[in-house]
Amino acid sequence: MARAHARPKVSDSAKNTRNILITQIQKSVESGDLLSALGYWRSLEEHKASVQPDDEGYGLPESTEQKLASLFKSQVQKAHAAPSWDPVIAQDFALRAAIHGSAEALYGLMLVQLQMKRPQETLGLYRQFMASVDSPEIVDDVDDNGLAGLVREGNESNFDHFRVSVLLAAITAHAMTDSFRAAFDTYMSSKLRVSSFRKNLFFQEVNIPSEVVKKAQKYANRLEILALLSKPSALSKHIMNLAHPRTAPVLIRLYQTILDGIHDESDPYLAADRVGLSETRLAAMTEVGWTSFQTGFIRCERKDLAAQLWSDLANLGIQPGVTMWTGLLDVYADLRDSTQSMLTWNMMLRQKIEPDELSYRAMIAVLFDDNKLDEAIQRFQEFRKRFKIHNAPQLTVYNTVLRGLLRSKRILEANQLLSTMLKNGPAPDVVSFNTFLGFYSREKDFSGLATTVNRMSDAKITGDVVTFSTIMTALLQVGERNAPNIILGIMQKQGVQPNVATYTAIIDHLMREQSNENLEASLKLLDKMEQDPVTKPNEVTYTTILTGLYRGRWTDRQRAEEVRGDIVSRMRRFKVAFRLPTYHTLIQAALDSPYPDGYKDALALIQEMEDQGIPRVNNTWYILFKGLERLEQWEAVNEMVRKMWRSQHKPTESLQKVIDRIVRKTS
């Protein structure tokens, strides 16, 4: 059998050469001599190529490479004009460092290329970089301007913020060549989203003519909108996050920006619908988007803007479809306004819009919630005559009727309807049965609970987290201390193998009930998890209990502190460390606590982060300052602002706005 080729063992003399070169690089970095450091780095790379070691770490240590990258970024503007500057070495190092996780050297080199009016070279660097790294996941979060998603601060450690800056440099290069479509392709393929803070920092730092800056800013702003519209679900989610009177100005600004992008005939980039997409109109609004704005305006208590939206659609030649009408019905259903729902329903019919299953669901729901039971049942009978083919949307209507009947305690009719569904369809799902379980749990009817569980088994419907949590809550309410074991028995009978996620979800559901019985049950489940190596709890499990303790004044403070101490001890015993998201969750929960001095727990958590060496990023300070401002704890918030400045933390634009507002209120 042929042997695999083995590389020769690295000699001691070769290792000595490597160590000498690394020492020279480190000394050059410490003395701030970039050109010498790069020269030694090239010698190290050539030495490594000649030796061909098996050890991946034979080259420059990561910490030294990061320091050299930082020096590169700070000196490249000056060094590239030196006679001994070697652009090939500089490019090789910048790309190598970026691939290893530090993109700041590459960013600095791209800034130089932009300054020298070399957009193609800039884009060449960007393409080489992107071809060598994995794309990040898009995070559907948004900044205070409401225009784009951004990578969370906790995820920026891989490439710091320089990865986003490298993207902005590429966009600027496209602006130099008047290539907006190419900029769009670059932006979308990056899977990054740029916050206003990062964008402002970049345009302050780049040294190019002001007219190019303005064009690049225009590109970046439009790309943010295009990215948002390219994912209708993300746009809808974002609009709903802004659907509050307090954030109405941001929502209005976003809507107007989109309208401007559609109406701009001289330089268009958005379409009112998919039909209008073209080589220049690169993303389109959808009916989901228009519907979300309509709902958002109504939730912002701006019905005038919702009405204006319909006028805008008419001017754009768009006929609202059943989705928009149903969206309007859903809003009134949430408000339990059956009168306005009926007016909307009749208007929809006059416009010759055929209601669909979801339209009926909204109408039936609001009639039940407004205690117009006979009208709700009449509307359901009308629905059954019109829709005879069973599908998923139809099942939601049946589940809505089951919920309405049970809330009205029309138990016989609800059971008759369930029997009809089991026999003739649509086949009930876990939501259908959970509706019954919730009713029987509230009624403390254990016979009904048992019957429902048996019917689920007969129908081969496996329970979910809500199922098991509901049953456990009912058992706890009557003092059944063995509730966790009973639930595990039911799960085993249904063929459900509990895992960490299942246990954690049940614990979360229990903690949301805010009762001492549920707390004890959560701790018992935690005990079981810790005893089983397959279901060892993770950080999320422990955080779920800690967060639940702060949600309300349902247990005395002494007991809450005992449990908190116990959870922290468990985490230490099992070597489960708090990470940044955990601290953010706990700080927010402490600030939301109804206890007058609950905010002190948040301050203690900030101190604990400092003691543990965990960085306090912009999100940390933002959560803290907003919470203390809301609680009007002015002395505490001012002290924390001073603490932030002493730590030399540079706030983002949104955080600075909060600080400025606090200063105005306390000056």
Side-chain angles (χ1 to χ4, degrees), residues 472-473 475-481 483-484 507 509-525 545 548-550 552-564 595:
M472 186 180 292
T473 298
L475 293 170
L476 292 169
Q477 286 174 344
V478 295
E480 177 55 71
R481 304 181 68 85
I507 288 173
H509 198 278
L510 290 170
M511 293 301 296
R512 289 179 185 276
E513 292 295 319
Q514 299 190 10
S515 72
N516 286 304
E517 295 84 1
N518 287 50
L519 171 61
E520 298 307 319
S522 297
L523 295 175
K524 286 182 179 179
L525 281 179
I545 297 177
L549 289 172
Y550 290 109
R553 197 181 295 177
W554 50 273
T555 188
D556 65 86
R557 190 159 182 77
Q558 181 178 353
R559 177 56 177 155
E561 287 304 313
E562 288 175 359
V563 173
R564 184 186 185 282
Y595 293 107

Short mmCIF file of all heavy atoms in Angstrom, two decimals, residues 472-473 475-481 483-484 507 509-525 545 548-550 552-564 595:
data_model
loop_
_atom_site.label_atom_id
_atom_site.label_comp_id
_atom_site.label_asym_id
_atom_site.label_seq_id
_atom_site.Cartn_x
_atom_site.Cartn_y
_atom_site.Cartn_z
N MET A 472 -49.71 21.17 33.76
CA MET A 472 -48.93 21.31 34.99
C MET A 472 -49.47 22.44 35.86
O MET A 472 -49.58 22.29 37.09
CB MET A 472 -47.46 21.55 34.67
CG MET A 472 -46.57 21.56 35.91
SD MET A 472 -44.82 21.85 35.57
CE MET A 472 -44.41 20.34 34.73
N THR A 473 -49.83 23.55 35.24
CA THR A 473 -50.39 24.67 36.00
C THR A 473 -51.66 24.26 36.71
O THR A 473 -51.89 24.60 37.88
CB THR A 473 -50.67 25.85 35.06
OG1 THR A 473 -49.44 26.29 34.48
CG2 THR A 473 -51.30 27.02 35.82
N LEU A 475 -52.51 21.25 37.69
CA LEU A 475 -52.17 20.35 38.79
C LEU A 475 -51.62 21.12 39.98
O LEU A 475 -51.94 20.83 41.14
CB LEU A 475 -51.14 19.32 38.31
CG LEU A 475 -51.63 18.30 37.27
CD1 LEU A 475 -50.46 17.51 36.71
CD2 LEU A 475 -52.66 17.35 37.88
N LEU A 476 -50.80 22.11 39.70
CA LEU A 476 -50.21 22.91 40.77
C LEU A 476 -51.26 23.70 41.53
O LEU A 476 -51.16 23.91 42.75
CB LEU A 476 -49.16 23.85 40.20
CG LEU A 476 -47.89 23.19 39.64
CD1 LEU A 476 -47.07 24.20 38.86
CD2 LEU A 476 -47.06 22.59 40.77
N GLN A 477 -52.28 24.14 40.82
CA GLN A 477 -53.32 24.96 41.45
C GLN A 477 -54.11 24.19 42.51
O GLN A 477 -54.69 24.80 43.41
CB GLN A 477 -54.28 25.50 40.38
CG GLN A 477 -53.67 26.62 39.54
CD GLN A 477 -54.57 27.04 38.40
OE1 GLN A 477 -55.53 26.34 38.05
NE2 GLN A 477 -54.28 28.20 37.81
N VAL A 478 -54.12 22.87 42.38
CA VAL A 478 -54.85 22.06 43.39
C VAL A 478 -53.87 21.37 44.34
O VAL A 478 -54.24 20.43 45.05
CB VAL A 478 -55.76 21.02 42.70
CG1 VAL A 478 -56.86 21.72 41.93
CG2 VAL A 478 -54.96 20.09 41.80
N GLY A 479 -52.62 21.85 44.33
CA GLY A 479 -51.66 21.36 45.31
C GLY A 479 -50.99 20.05 44.97
O GLY A 479 -50.43 19.39 45.86
N GLU A 480 -51.03 19.65 43.71
CA GLU A 480 -50.36 18.40 43.30
C GLU A 480 -48.86 18.64 43.20
O GLU A 480 -48.36 19.18 42.23
CB GLU A 480 -50.92 17.93 41.95
CG GLU A 480 -50.27 16.68 41.40
CD GLU A 480 -50.31 15.51 42.37
OE1 GLU A 480 -51.40 14.96 42.60
OE2 GLU A 480 -49.23 15.17 42.90
N ARG A 481 -48.12 18.21 44.23
CA ARG A 481 -46.69 18.48 44.30
C ARG A 481 -45.89 17.59 43.34
O ARG A 481 -44.72 17.88 43.06
CB ARG A 481 -46.20 18.29 45.74
CG ARG A 481 -46.95 19.15 46.75
CD ARG A 481 -46.40 18.94 48.15
NE ARG A 481 -45.06 19.46 48.28
CZ ARG A 481 -44.78 20.73 48.56
NH1 ARG A 481 -45.76 21.61 48.71
NH2 ARG A 481 -43.53 21.12 48.68
N ALA A 483 -46.53 17.22 40.27
CA ALA A 483 -46.93 17.65 38.92
C ALA A 483 -45.83 17.43 37.87
O ALA A 483 -46.11 16.93 36.78
CB ALA A 483 -47.38 19.11 38.94
N PRO A 484 -44.57 17.80 38.17
CA PRO A 484 -43.53 17.59 37.14
C PRO A 484 -43.41 16.15 36.68
O PRO A 484 -43.28 15.87 35.48
CB PRO A 484 -42.26 18.08 37.83
CG PRO A 484 -42.74 19.08 38.84
CD PRO A 484 -44.03 18.52 39.33
N ILE A 507 -40.43 25.65 31.44
CA ILE A 507 -40.07 26.49 32.58
C ILE A 507 -40.45 27.94 32.31
O ILE A 507 -40.98 28.64 33.19
CB ILE A 507 -38.55 26.35 32.88
CG1 ILE A 507 -38.27 24.98 33.49
CG2 ILE A 507 -38.08 27.47 33.80
CD1 ILE A 507 -36.79 24.67 33.67
N HIS A 509 -42.81 29.04 30.39
CA HIS A 509 -44.27 29.14 30.47
C HIS A 509 -44.72 29.16 31.93
O HIS A 509 -45.61 29.94 32.31
CB HIS A 509 -44.90 27.95 29.73
CG HIS A 509 -46.34 28.16 29.37
ND1 HIS A 509 -47.36 27.95 30.27
CD2 HIS A 509 -46.93 28.56 28.22
CE1 HIS A 509 -48.53 28.20 29.68
NE2 HIS A 509 -48.29 28.57 28.44
N LEU A 510 -44.12 28.33 32.75
CA LEU A 510 -44.48 28.30 34.17
C LEU A 510 -44.13 29.61 34.86
O LEU A 510 -44.93 30.15 35.64
CB LEU A 510 -43.74 27.14 34.86
CG LEU A 510 -44.19 25.72 34.49
CD1 LEU A 510 -43.22 24.71 35.05
CD2 LEU A 510 -45.60 25.45 35.00
N MET A 511 -42.96 30.15 34.59
CA MET A 511 -42.53 31.38 35.24
C MET A 511 -43.41 32.56 34.85
O MET A 511 -43.58 33.50 35.62
CB MET A 511 -41.07 31.68 34.91
CG MET A 511 -40.07 30.69 35.49
SD MET A 511 -40.11 30.59 37.30
CE MET A 511 -39.61 32.23 37.77
N ARG A 512 -43.98 32.51 33.65
CA ARG A 512 -44.86 33.59 33.22
C ARG A 512 -46.19 33.59 33.97
O ARG A 512 -46.92 34.58 33.97
CB ARG A 512 -45.11 33.51 31.71
CG ARG A 512 -43.89 33.88 30.89
CD ARG A 512 -44.14 33.78 29.40
NE ARG A 512 -42.92 34.03 28.66
CZ ARG A 512 -42.47 35.25 28.33
NH1 ARG A 512 -43.17 36.31 28.68
NH2 ARG A 512 -41.35 35.40 27.66
N GLU A 513 -46.52 32.45 34.62
CA GLU A 513 -47.75 32.39 35.42
C GLU A 513 -47.61 33.19 36.71
O GLU A 513 -48.59 33.53 37.36
CB GLU A 513 -48.09 30.94 35.74
CG GLU A 513 -48.50 30.11 34.52
CD GLU A 513 -49.80 30.60 33.92
OE1 GLU A 513 -50.73 30.93 34.67
OE2 GLU A 513 -49.86 30.66 32.67
N GLN A 514 -46.37 33.44 37.13
CA GLN A 514 -46.07 34.29 38.29
C GLN A 514 -46.79 33.82 39.56
O GLN A 514 -47.59 34.55 40.16
CB GLN A 514 -46.42 35.76 37.99
CG GLN A 514 -45.62 36.33 36.84
CD GLN A 514 -45.78 37.83 36.68
OE1 GLN A 514 -46.36 38.49 37.54
NE2 GLN A 514 -45.27 38.37 35.60
N SER A 515 -46.51 32.58 39.93
CA SER A 515 -47.03 32.06 41.19
C SER A 515 -45.93 31.27 41.87
O SER A 515 -45.04 30.72 41.21
CB SER A 515 -48.25 31.17 40.96
OG SER A 515 -47.86 29.92 40.39
N ASN A 516 -45.98 31.19 43.19
CA ASN A 516 -44.96 30.46 43.94
C ASN A 516 -44.99 28.97 43.61
O ASN A 516 -43.96 28.30 43.59
CB ASN A 516 -45.14 30.67 45.44
CG ASN A 516 -44.72 32.07 45.87
OD1 ASN A 516 -43.59 32.48 45.62
ND2 ASN A 516 -45.62 32.81 46.48
N GLU A 517 -46.21 28.44 43.36
CA GLU A 517 -46.32 27.03 42.99
C GLU A 517 -45.58 26.75 41.68
O GLU A 517 -44.87 25.75 41.54
CB GLU A 517 -47.80 26.63 42.85
CG GLU A 517 -48.60 26.69 44.15
CD GLU A 517 -49.13 28.08 44.44
OE1 GLU A 517 -48.88 29.00 43.61
OE2 GLU A 517 -49.77 28.25 45.48
N ASN A 518 -45.74 27.65 40.72
CA ASN A 518 -45.08 27.46 39.43
C ASN A 518 -43.57 27.64 39.56
O ASN A 518 -42.80 26.99 38.85
CB ASN A 518 -45.64 28.45 38.41
CG ASN A 518 -47.04 28.07 37.96
OD1 ASN A 518 -47.91 27.83 38.78
ND2 ASN A 518 -47.26 28.00 36.67
N LEU A 519 -43.15 28.52 40.46
CA LEU A 519 -41.72 28.68 40.70
C LEU A 519 -41.12 27.38 41.24
O LEU A 519 -40.07 26.93 40.78
CB LEU A 519 -41.48 29.83 41.69
CG LEU A 519 -40.05 29.98 42.21
CD1 LEU A 519 -39.08 30.25 41.06
CD2 LEU A 519 -39.98 31.11 43.25
N GLU A 520 -41.81 26.78 42.23
CA GLU A 520 -41.30 25.54 42.80
C GLU A 520 -41.26 24.44 41.74
O GLU A 520 -40.32 23.63 41.70
CB GLU A 520 -42.17 25.11 43.98
CG GLU A 520 -42.18 26.10 45.14
CD GLU A 520 -40.78 26.46 45.62
OE1 GLU A 520 -39.93 25.55 45.70
OE2 GLU A 520 -40.53 27.64 45.90
N ALA A 521 -42.29 24.40 40.88
CA ALA A 521 -42.30 23.39 39.82
C ALA A 521 -41.15 23.61 38.85
O ALA A 521 -40.52 22.65 38.37
CB ALA A 521 -43.63 23.44 39.07
N SER A 522 -40.85 24.88 38.56
CA SER A 522 -39.73 25.19 37.66
C SER A 522 -38.41 24.71 38.25
O SER A 522 -37.56 24.15 37.54
CB SER A 522 -39.68 26.71 37.41
OG SER A 522 -40.84 27.16 36.75
N LEU A 523 -38.26 24.91 39.56
CA LEU A 523 -37.02 24.48 40.21
C LEU A 523 -36.90 22.95 40.23
O LEU A 523 -35.80 22.40 40.10
CB LEU A 523 -36.95 25.04 41.63
CG LEU A 523 -36.85 26.58 41.73
CD1 LEU A 523 -36.92 27.03 43.18
CD2 LEU A 523 -35.57 27.08 41.07
N LYS A 524 -38.05 22.26 40.37
CA LYS A 524 -38.02 20.80 40.33
C LYS A 524 -37.64 20.30 38.94
O LYS A 524 -36.88 19.33 38.80
CB LYS A 524 -39.38 20.25 40.74
CG LYS A 524 -39.67 20.36 42.23
CD LYS A 524 -41.01 19.74 42.59
CE LYS A 524 -41.27 19.85 44.10
NZ LYS A 524 -42.58 19.27 44.49
N LEU A 525 -38.18 20.96 37.92
CA LEU A 525 -37.79 20.58 36.56
C LEU A 525 -36.30 20.84 36.33
O LEU A 525 -35.61 20.06 35.68
CB LEU A 525 -38.61 21.37 35.53
CG LEU A 525 -40.04 20.88 35.26
CD1 LEU A 525 -40.71 21.79 34.24
CD2 LEU A 525 -40.04 19.45 34.76
N ILE A 545 -35.48 31.50 34.46
CA ILE A 545 -35.96 31.57 35.85
C ILE A 545 -35.61 32.92 36.47
O ILE A 545 -36.46 33.55 37.12
CB ILE A 545 -35.37 30.42 36.67
CG1 ILE A 545 -35.85 29.08 36.12
CG2 ILE A 545 -35.76 30.56 38.14
CD1 ILE A 545 -35.28 27.87 36.82
N GLY A 548 -37.90 35.57 35.13
CA GLY A 548 -39.25 35.43 35.67
C GLY A 548 -39.39 36.01 37.07
O GLY A 548 -40.45 36.53 37.44
N LEU A 549 -38.31 35.94 37.85
CA LEU A 549 -38.37 36.48 39.21
C LEU A 549 -38.60 37.99 39.21
O LEU A 549 -39.17 38.54 40.15
CB LEU A 549 -37.06 36.18 39.94
CG LEU A 549 -36.82 34.72 40.33
CD1 LEU A 549 -35.41 34.55 40.88
CD2 LEU A 549 -37.84 34.27 41.36
N TYR A 550 -38.13 38.68 38.17
CA TYR A 550 -38.22 40.14 38.13
C TYR A 550 -39.50 40.63 37.46
O TYR A 550 -39.75 41.82 37.42
CB TYR A 550 -37.02 40.71 37.37
CG TYR A 550 -35.71 40.56 38.11
CD1 TYR A 550 -34.75 39.67 37.66
CD2 TYR A 550 -35.44 41.31 39.24
CE1 TYR A 550 -33.54 39.53 38.31
CE2 TYR A 550 -34.23 41.18 39.90
CZ TYR A 550 -33.28 40.29 39.43
OH TYR A 550 -32.09 40.15 40.08
N GLY A 552 -42.70 40.43 38.09
CA GLY A 552 -43.81 40.98 38.85
C GLY A 552 -43.60 40.78 40.34
O GLY A 552 -42.71 40.05 40.77
N ARG A 553 -44.45 41.40 41.14
CA ARG A 553 -44.33 41.30 42.59
C ARG A 553 -45.20 40.15 43.08
O ARG A 553 -46.11 40.29 43.89
CB ARG A 553 -44.77 42.61 43.23
CG ARG A 553 -44.31 42.77 44.68
CD ARG A 553 -44.78 44.07 45.27
NE ARG A 553 -44.19 45.21 44.60
CZ ARG A 553 -44.48 46.48 44.89
NH1 ARG A 553 -45.38 46.75 45.82
NH2 ARG A 553 -43.90 47.45 44.25
N TRP A 554 -44.90 38.93 42.58
CA TRP A 554 -45.72 37.77 42.94
C TRP A 554 -45.06 36.91 44.01
O TRP A 554 -45.67 35.98 44.54
CB TRP A 554 -46.01 36.92 41.70
CG TRP A 554 -44.80 36.57 40.89
CD1 TRP A 554 -44.24 37.31 39.90
CD2 TRP A 554 -43.99 35.41 41.04
NE1 TRP A 554 -43.13 36.68 39.40
CE2 TRP A 554 -42.95 35.50 40.08
CE3 TRP A 554 -44.03 34.29 41.87
CZ2 TRP A 554 -41.98 34.53 39.94
CZ3 TRP A 554 -43.06 33.32 41.73
CH2 TRP A 554 -42.05 33.44 40.77
N THR A 555 -43.82 37.20 44.34
CA THR A 555 -43.14 36.51 45.44
C THR A 555 -42.40 37.56 46.26
O THR A 555 -42.03 38.61 45.73
CB THR A 555 -42.18 35.43 44.91
OG1 THR A 555 -41.68 34.66 46.00
CG2 THR A 555 -41.00 36.07 44.18
N ASP A 556 -42.21 37.27 47.55
CA ASP A 556 -41.55 38.28 48.38
C ASP A 556 -40.09 38.40 47.98
O ASP A 556 -39.47 37.47 47.46
CB ASP A 556 -41.69 37.93 49.86
CG ASP A 556 -40.97 36.64 50.22
OD1 ASP A 556 -39.76 36.69 50.51
OD2 ASP A 556 -41.62 35.57 50.18
N ARG A 557 -39.56 39.56 48.27
CA ARG A 557 -38.20 39.88 47.80
C ARG A 557 -37.16 38.95 48.39
O ARG A 557 -36.20 38.57 47.72
CB ARG A 557 -37.88 41.34 48.14
CG ARG A 557 -36.59 41.84 47.48
CD ARG A 557 -36.58 43.35 47.40
NE ARG A 557 -35.40 43.84 46.73
CZ ARG A 557 -35.20 43.83 45.42
NH1 ARG A 557 -36.13 43.31 44.63
NH2 ARG A 557 -34.10 44.31 44.88
N GLN A 558 -37.34 38.55 49.63
CA GLN A 558 -36.38 37.65 50.27
C GLN A 558 -36.32 36.32 49.53
O GLN A 558 -35.23 35.79 49.26
CB GLN A 558 -36.75 37.42 51.74
CG GLN A 558 -35.76 36.52 52.46
CD GLN A 558 -36.11 36.33 53.92
OE1 GLN A 558 -37.02 36.97 54.44
NE2 GLN A 558 -35.40 35.45 54.61
N ARG A 559 -37.49 35.79 49.17
CA ARG A 559 -37.52 34.52 48.45
C ARG A 559 -36.90 34.68 47.06
O ARG A 559 -36.16 33.81 46.60
CB ARG A 559 -38.96 34.03 48.32
CG ARG A 559 -39.15 32.74 47.52
CD ARG A 559 -38.31 31.61 48.07
NE ARG A 559 -38.53 30.37 47.35
CZ ARG A 559 -37.65 29.38 47.27
NH1 ARG A 559 -36.48 29.49 47.89
NH2 ARG A 559 -37.92 28.29 46.60
N ALA A 560 -37.18 35.80 46.42
CA ALA A 560 -36.61 36.05 45.09
C ALA A 560 -35.08 36.08 45.16
O ALA A 560 -34.40 35.53 44.28
CB ALA A 560 -37.14 37.36 44.52
N GLU A 561 -34.55 36.72 46.21
CA GLU A 561 -33.10 36.79 46.35
C GLU A 561 -32.51 35.41 46.65
O GLU A 561 -31.41 35.08 46.19
CB GLU A 561 -32.73 37.78 47.45
CG GLU A 561 -32.93 39.24 47.05
CD GLU A 561 -32.17 39.60 45.79
OE1 GLU A 561 -30.98 39.25 45.69
OE2 GLU A 561 -32.77 40.19 44.89
N GLU A 562 -33.25 34.61 47.43
CA GLU A 562 -32.78 33.25 47.72
C GLU A 562 -32.67 32.43 46.43
O GLU A 562 -31.68 31.73 46.20
CB GLU A 562 -33.74 32.55 48.69
CG GLU A 562 -33.68 33.08 50.11
CD GLU A 562 -34.73 32.43 50.99
OE1 GLU A 562 -35.51 31.59 50.46
OE2 GLU A 562 -34.80 32.76 52.19
N VAL A 563 -33.71 32.54 45.61
CA VAL A 563 -33.72 31.78 44.36
C VAL A 563 -32.62 32.29 43.44
O VAL A 563 -31.92 31.50 42.79
CB VAL A 563 -35.09 31.87 43.67
CG1 VAL A 563 -35.05 31.22 42.29
CG2 VAL A 563 -36.16 31.22 44.53
N ARG A 564 -32.47 33.62 43.37
CA ARG A 564 -31.43 34.19 42.51
C ARG A 564 -30.06 33.66 42.93
O ARG A 564 -29.24 33.25 42.10
CB ARG A 564 -31.43 35.71 42.57
CG ARG A 564 -30.42 36.35 41.62
CD ARG A 564 -30.34 37.86 41.81
NE ARG A 564 -29.48 38.48 40.83
CZ ARG A 564 -28.14 38.48 40.87
NH1 ARG A 564 -27.52 37.88 41.87
NH2 ARG A 564 -27.42 39.04 39.92
N TYR A 595 -40.78 46.45 42.17
CA TYR A 595 -40.20 46.86 43.44
C TYR A 595 -39.58 48.25 43.30
O TYR A 595 -38.87 48.52 42.32
CB TYR A 595 -39.13 45.88 43.90
CG TYR A 595 -39.67 44.51 44.24
CD1 TYR A 595 -39.45 43.43 43.40
CD2 TYR A 595 -40.41 44.30 45.40
CE1 TYR A 595 -39.94 42.17 43.70
CE2 TYR A 595 -40.91 43.06 45.71
CZ TYR A 595 -40.67 41.98 44.87
OH TYR A 595 -41.17 40.75 45.17
#
